Amino acid sequence: MLRDMDYVLTKLDWMRSERIWPNGLRYLWTDAFGVMLYLSLYRQTGEERWLDAAEELVGEVDRVLGRPRGYRIGEASDRDGQYFHYLAMWLFALARLGDVKPEYRAKGIAVAKAIHPAFVLPGRGVIWKMEEDLGAPYPGYGLGAMDAFDGYVSYRCLDPRALTDEIDEMRTLIEGQYRTLDIDQDLGLGMMLWLCHFFPTEDWARVQTERSLAALSQGLLS
């Protein structure tokens, strides 16, 4: 729920006037959250203009960042390549837009199936960053610590039946990782808690919720 609409709309106007967003350079991570913000405004107000804005934003991201398989990290020259965790957040945004307009869920499923084989090494992990054409891992980057969790949640939110094989591969990676994964960075802890809340009764979510909250508590007390 958006509890202070005036504040949110004022901030949106300010960002637009400063050409920060949505009229700044495209950036997949920011734009994914932007789609979800527009959807929240649509649900809160019932005004079609916010749904239209979400669809227009998806169209702009497709136009600027879209590639034959996946999406470039950002529009700026130093935002080349593709990050899996950015793609997973974009898939989640498409899933939420698909709750209102089913064609976007279908779009997200198609993207997931296109990128999954390039990023996922079954039984080993998820490559953190790939070349822009997904032809090879980006030099200097290895496997992502949380990427399997990102993909698992986004895939299940999109369609657990259409993405059964992909979900199973992510679940196997999670099973081999969640007991020993310790996150010590604030953004990572926040993201893990957000991921865990979707399936809180699953073992991985129970363990990582407890561990993340404990790490945050220690950080606040230290």
Side-chain angles (χ1 to χ4, degrees):
M1 294 291 288
L2 301 173
R3 292 182 172 84
D4 191 340
M5 290 291 294
D6 289 340
Y7 175 83
V8 172
L9 295 178
T10 298
K11 284 296 184 181
L12 273 175
D13 287 341
W14 176 79
M15 287 193 293
R16 186 177 292 106
S17 69
E18 296 293 321
R19 297 195 65 82
I20 296 171
W21 188 90
N23 50 354
L25 294 177
R26 298 267 64 85
Y27 190 54
L28 191 62
W29 181 259
T30 305
D31 287 333
F33 284 97
V35 169
M36 290 182 273
L37 173 60
Y38 282 148
L39 285 169
S40 296
L41 288 168
Y42 168 67
R43 292 191 178 101
Q44 183 75 5
T45 66
E47 296 177 8
E48 290 287 333
R49 64 178 175 130
W50 298 118
L51 181 58
D52 293 341
E55 292 194 87
E56 289 170 8
L57 179 54
V58 171
E60 275 298 287
V61 170
D62 283 345
R63 182 183 68 83
V64 177
L65 303 181
R67 297 297 182 264
R69 288 194 298 162
Y71 293 84
R72 178 184 165 98
I73 291 168
E75 186 175 358
S77 60
D78 63 344
R79 305 297 187 183
D80 59 327
Q82 298 194 38
Y83 282 143
F84 184 82
H85 61 292
Y86 282 27
L87 291 162
M89 189 57 69
W90 186 246
L91 293 177
F92 179 81
L94 292 176
R96 294 286 74 89
L97 186 53
D99 291 339
V100 184
K101 298 235 174 169
E103 61 267 30
Y104 290 99
R105 187 177 301 280
K107 178 184 180 68
I109 293 167
V111 173
K113 286 189 172 293
I115 66 172
H116 183 89
F119 278 95
V120 178
L121 303 176
R124 290 179 55 194
V126 181
I127 298 169
W128 185 20
K129 184 177 182 181
M130 294 286 292
E131 295 279 8
E132 195 163 311
D133 64 358
L134 300 187
Y138 201 93
Y141 288 80
L143 302 178
M146 292 175 53
D147 293 45
F149 300 84
D150 294 324
Y152 177 77
V153 169
S154 292
Y155 291 175
R156 286 191 63 180
C157 289
L158 271 169
D159 192 321
R161 287 180 292 184
L163 296 169
T164 297
D165 292 342
E166 291 83 1
I167 290 167
D168 286 345
E169 288 191 342
M170 291 300 195
R171 183 183 288 110
T172 297
L173 293 174
I174 288 173
E175 284 294 320
Q177 186 182 6
Y178 79 86
R179 296 174 184 84
T180 57
L181 176 63
D182 286 309
I183 303 168
D184 58 5
Q185 193 262 354
D186 289 351
L187 176 59
L189 290 167
M191 286 301 301
M192 178 56 79
L193 287 169
W194 179 75
L195 293 168
C196 288
H197 99 276
F198 286 95
F199 309 106
T201 62
E202 296 187 2
D203 289 344
W204 69 270
R206 291 180 186 274
V207 169
Q208 282 299 316
T209 295
E210 181 178 351
R211 192 169 294 171
S212 296
L213 289 174
L216 285 171
S217 297
Q218 291 169 5
L220 290 172
L221 294 173
S222 62

